[in-house]
Amino acid sequence: MIDNKKEQERDELHRTIWNMANDLRGSVDGWDFKQYVLGMLFYRYISENFVKFVNAGEVEAGNDNFDYAKLDNEVAEEAREDLVQSKGYFILPSQLFCNVKEKAPNNENLNETLESVFRNIEASAQGHDSEDDFKGLFDDIDVNSNKLGGTVAKRNEKLVKLLNGVAEMKLGDYQDNTIDAFGDAYEFLMGMYASNAGKSGGEYYTPQEVSELLTRITVLGKKEVNKVYDPACGSGSLLLKFAKVLGKENVRQGFFGQEINITTYNLCRINMFLHDIGYEKFSIGHGDTLTEPLHWDDEPFEAIVSNPPYSIKWEGDDNPILINDERFSPAGVLAPKSKADLAFIMHSLSWLATNGTAAIVCFPGVMYRGGAEQKIRKYLIDNNYVECVIQLPDNLFFGTSIATCIMVMKKNKVENSTLFIDASKECVKITNNNKLTEENIQNILSTYEKRENKQYYAAVVENDKIAENSYNLSASSYVEQEDTREKIDIVKLNAEIKKIVAREEQLRAEIDKIIAEIEV
């Protein structure tokens, strides 16, 4: 059932964001502007979250009229250490979003004020367990950038608009799922700009429906998992789907990921906070997962999901150390230097728990190409790690029309066979893109769970047969395609032609007769 009140609130929130974008359109490129909106949104969130936490503690102690936002800085300083231990960060009352926004129109040094606030918030976590989660979080919000205006006055004018716009977002009371509202504002911004950013947008954002499918595949039959992991986590949308599908309390040890792009690495950490994931419940690392993995010492992950970049270059066999890397060495060969796709697959498999499931979005070419990629597929099939291959529709992802697929892997398979699902028709068309509906997702999940042959849709194939077919893992090689061409009854067609010819001869005779009479 649709919650009309919730939908109205969401629509209103989206309108506010859209109006902000229109108000500042032309001064800041959309994809860059998103950084400023998200930064201010995050600033507002942690300010209000901090005030709520402190006020709740005081009310519990009997101080009903207490309001941290109105406290003197000197008095607040006395509680700094305790609050950093509890929340992971500290904000002085004068530096809270609400107080900075109130004075912003008359603050000629607004850019300097904001820069100081952002640096102080990050610095408050230094030397504490939360340091890595706050370090550099505001780096992409350059309040002195010429993108905001050619002069300080022009820049401050834009900053005032940003503060006011973010303040106008109706994010509700914290008791009424405020966190969902913050998260929804984030996701709307990501989707809005990803859809307009061409290829670069697709690298930052996996459509929610695809995230939903990947998540539900990995947790099928489970009510909780130890932790979740994404080796190319982007802005973290895939990881955060587990919080919605399972509930964040049912991801016992938290959310783990790594991202090579500094901008999206920062966005991912911001996204965690915006979805109320505490600093102690996530570990997001910055760097190249394939050559500098940052979660070596963690116990294996029960759920792994990812949409890694398609066919990117990597060091491969140029780096003599990698062939002996325990993640890649079992296959006896490295993924090609020009196509790292299967390196991400091997990495994910290596860190997958024995009772876990990995669901990885793949570029279609890795399923049938020869050479090193064929040898890696041989390793995966001969060791019975591939649970399922799902062919997705084309035009699902922002910035690419390619029909991708999903490889599902497990280490505890019983049947020595692989399920292939051709879900290339499971979608509805919306403008220029295709989209998975809840019905589409349910159809795929039901077929995956039943693991049965289904004409024109699914095939359970013995691994020996796959080996005979050069370890080809394309769903179209095993799922018979339905012939949708009109079927023609040749006998019936010949009879019709015979009637037409006879009728033609009759008409010709009648015409000849008429002409003869006219001539007479």
Side-chain angles (χ1 to χ4, degrees):
M1 190 174 80
I2 296 174
D3 185 337
N4 288 328
K5 183 173 182 292
K6 189 175 181 181
E7 289 302 314
Q8 285 174 357
E9 289 174 353
R10 178 175 284 121
D11 288 344
E12 189 171 343
L13 177 64
H14 291 176
R15 273 196 300 275
T16 303
I17 296 171
W18 188 257
N19 289 338
M20 283 177 66
N22 282 335
D23 194 28
L24 293 163
R25 191 181 300 279
S27 58
V28 184
D29 174 69
W31 195 243
D32 289 323
F33 173 63
K34 171 188 57 59
Q35 310 289 79
Y36 288 100
V37 178
L38 287 174
M40 289 298 183
L41 183 65
F42 177 57
Y43 174 35
R44 176 183 164 185
Y45 165 74
I46 62 172
S47 291
E48 293 180 6
N49 185 276
F50 193 81
V51 169
K52 172 182 176 280
F53 178 81
V54 178
N55 288 355
E58 289 294 323
V59 169
E60 192 176 325
N63 193 355
D64 292 344
N65 297 319
F66 181 85
D67 185 358
Y68 181 79
K70 295 177 181 176
L71 205 64
D72 288 337
N73 284 349
E74 292 76 12
V75 177
E77 273 289 357
E78 297 173 10
R80 175 186 286 268
E81 192 62 29
D82 287 342
L83 287 170
V84 174
Q85 291 291 343
S86 303
K87 291 297 291 177
Y89 64 100
F90 180 80
I91 308 179
L92 286 167
S94 66
Q95 296 187 337
L96 292 166
F97 177 89
C98 59
N99 290 332
V100 171
K101 181 197 78 72
E102 186 180 345
K103 296 177 180 178
N106 301 314
N107 185 353
E108 294 180 357
N109 301 309
L110 178 60
N111 58 328
E112 293 178 11
T113 298
L114 285 169
E115 185 173 31
S116 175
V117 169
F118 296 158
R119 296 290 81 82
N120 287 343
I121 293 172
E122 290 181 15
S124 71
Q126 285 179 6
H128 297 82
D129 292 341
S130 57
E131 180 175 351
D132 288 344
D133 296 320
F134 280 87
K135 187 177 181 180
L137 262 184
F138 292 99
D139 280 357
D140 288 313
I141 309 156
D142 184 0
V143 291
N144 296 304
S145 172
N146 286 332
K147 292 176 181 177
L148 289 171
T151 64
V152 171
K154 290 283 185 185
R155 290 197 280 273
N156 285 343
E157 183 184 330
K158 294 291 190 302
L159 290 170
V160 169
K161 287 185 177 181
L162 278 165
L163 285 164
N164 289 336
V166 169
E168 287 168 13
M169 292 186 191
K170 294 190 176 177
L171 302 173
D173 184 9
Y174 279 95
Q175 307 305 319
D176 300 323
N177 294 323
T178 293
I179 305 306
D180 285 347
F182 271 107
D184 188 71
Y186 175 93
E187 288 168 8
F188 178 72
L189 268 165
M190 292 300 291
M192 185 170 98
Y193 286 119
S195 61
N196 293 322
K199 186 177 178 183
S200 62
E203 292 171 3
Y204 295 98
Y205 189 75
T206 302
Q208 289 296 308
E209 299 75 28
V210 179
S211 299
E212 179 99 9
L213 176 61
L214 291 167
T215 302
R216 288 167 69 177
I217 285 172
T218 60
V219 300
L220 196 63
K222 295 182 179 181
K223 292 184 178 178
E224 61 175 22
V225 293
N226 68 341
K227 51 189 179 174
V228 299
Y229 174 67
D230 184 346
C233 61
S235 61
S237 62
L238 275 171
L239 290 172
L240 286 163
K241 265 298 170 188
F242 287 89
K244 288 190 177 180
V245 172
L246 282 181
K248 64 181 180 181
E249 68 281 0
N250 294 316
V251 183
R252 298 190 306 274
Q253 297 174 40
F255 304 79
F256 294 72
Q258 187 165 341
E259 172 57 35
I260 194 170
N261 182 293
I262 187 66
T263 298
T264 36
Y265 161 66
N266 288 335
L267 287 178
C268 186
R269 291 184 296 158
I270 287 175
N271 204 4
M272 291 291 154
F273 286 113
L274 290 181
H275 284 80
D276 202 29
I277 308 296
Y279 74 89
E280 74 285 353
K281 286 281 284 187
F282 71 84
S283 174
I284 306 300
H286 175 235
D288 188 334
T289 303
L290 298 180
T291 57
E292 303 169 279
L294 299 177
H295 297 100
W296 271 112
D297 299 325
D298 287 88
E299 76 177 64
F301 299 92
E302 206 172 324
I304 298 178
V305 289
S306 194
N307 177 22
Y310 308 142
S311 299
I312 61 165
K313 294 178 181 179
W314 76 307
E315 292 181 15
D317 55 20
D318 277 351
N319 185 339
I321 296 175
L322 289 175
I323 192 58
N324 295 314
D325 188 307
E326 64 186 56
R327 297 170 297 162
F328 311 123
S329 60
V333 66
L334 296 170
K337 287 181 291 186
S338 61
K339 303 174 183 69
D341 308 71
L342 288 181
F344 282 103
I345 291 288
M346 290 297 293
H347 169 86
S348 299
L349 177 65
S350 176
W351 287 2
L352 181 65
T354 305
N355 65 333
T357 304
I360 314 294
V361 178
C362 297
F363 185 81
V366 304
M367 297 298 178
Y368 57 80
R369 289 190 296 239
E373 290 178 312
Q374 183 186 44
K375 291 176 182 175
I376 295 173
R377 294 197 305 272
K378 179 181 188 302
Y379 166 76
L380 296 173
I381 292 298
D382 287 352
N383 288 278
N384 200 27
Y385 289 135
V386 183
E387 167 81 352
C388 180
V389 174
I390 303 169
Q391 177 61 57
L392 295 174
D394 59 8
N395 269 324
L396 275 185
F397 292 83
F398 298 121
T400 179
S401 61
I402 295 167
T404 57
C405 50
I406 298 171
M407 182 184 288
V408 184
M409 296 184 290
K410 286 187 175 182
K411 288 184 174 178
N412 61 350
K413 284 177 62 186
V414 177
E415 308 94 340
N416 197 31
S417 59
T418 302
L419 172 66
F420 292 89
I421 299 175
D422 183 356
S424 56
K425 304 289 192 299
E426 288 282 9
C427 63
V428 295
K429 190 170 184 62
I430 296 179
T431 61
N432 294 325
N433 280 82
N434 289 323
K435 183 176 182 178
L436 297 175
T437 64
E438 175 57 33
E439 183 182 358
N440 297 141
I441 292 171
Q442 198 53 55
N443 288 342
I444 296 169
L445 286 170
S446 175
T447 304
Y448 171 73
E449 186 174 19
K450 290 177 181 175
R451 199 176 173 79
E452 296 173 348
N453 291 313
K454 187 175 180 181
Q455 190 177 31
Y456 308 133
Y457 194 76
V460 179
V461 183
E462 294 297 320
N463 287 343
D464 288 346
K465 185 176 178 183
I466 296 174
E468 291 170 7
N469 192 25
S470 304
Y471 294 96
N472 188 321
L473 293 180
S474 297
S476 58
S477 296
Y478 304 100
V479 181
E480 181 187 357
Q481 302 296 300
E482 183 177 8
D483 188 350
T484 55
R485 294 175 299 180
E486 183 182 357
K487 291 181 173 60
I488 298 172
D489 186 332
I490 298 299
V491 176
K492 185 178 178 181
L493 180 61
N494 281 336
E496 291 290 335
I497 291 172
K498 195 172 182 180
K499 285 181 185 177
I500 292 170
V501 170
R503 177 62 176 156
E504 185 182 352
E505 289 176 353
Q506 181 184 351
L507 289 172
R508 194 182 300 278
E510 289 177 2
I511 291 169
D512 288 345
K513 184 178 178 183
I514 292 170
I515 290 172
E517 288 176 356
I518 290 172
E519 288 176 344
V520 170

